[in-house]
Amino acid sequence: MSQYQIAVIVGSLRKESFNRQLAHALVKLAPAQVQFKEVAIGELPLYNQDADGHEVAVVKQFRDAIRSADAVLFVTPEYNRSMPGVLKNALDQGSRPYGHSVWDGKPAAVIGMSVGAIGTALAQQHLRNVLAYLNMPTLGQPEMFLQAKEGFFNADGSVGEQSRAFLQKFVELFAGWVAQHKR
């Protein structure tokens, strides 16, 4: 069985964000053939086309990390009914210069958590639109619009009993999606 390296991009910069906690909890549910690795986006400068061809080291490192991954898991909050600016900036940094996108053809999945009843539905829809343009085959089901509630996470950061099977299924379906779409 093949081993898959999956880059995890968390769209929140807050150290204790629900989405960062969710990303860490999902790592604990990974099947044996999957290795998750978070790729930081907080230090990326704002994308500026004038930098194409002479990017700073942090942009090069980011692109190399995505390029070397077999797939990408996006874990995003919702800000003002859309994806966070820091996440959009990371997508822009990885897609440029034109014709050299590190995203092209990489399988992806999207998940997010919010205190609101609809979770991160609108942010995920906007993100999925961008991922479609970037030619990233994205897992369609199950959609994962999670609401942060008491008991969702255990004291050790793992997923609580009521949500564990649901999230385990998501991680396993994503692993199968990666196997099916890996180039």
Side-chain angles (χ1 to χ4, degrees), residues 84-107:
V86 68
L87 178 53
K88 178 61 168 76
N89 184 58
L91 292 164
D92 291 343
Q93 287 286 12
S95 70
R96 302 304 293 231
Y98 183 78
H100 298 279
S101 176
V102 298
W103 310 113
D104 188 39
K106 291 225 186 265

Side-chain angles (χ1 to χ4, degrees), residues 74-76 82-83 87-88 91 109-111 121-134 138:
F74 294 93
V75 186
T76 187
S82 190
M83 72 181 102
L87 178 53
K88 178 61 168 76
L91 292 164
V110 178
I111 190 170
L122 295 174
Q124 288 189 41
Q125 186 57 52
H126 289 168
L127 177 55
R128 287 174 182 277
N129 288 342
V130 174
L131 299 181
Y133 176 78
L134 294 173
T138 304

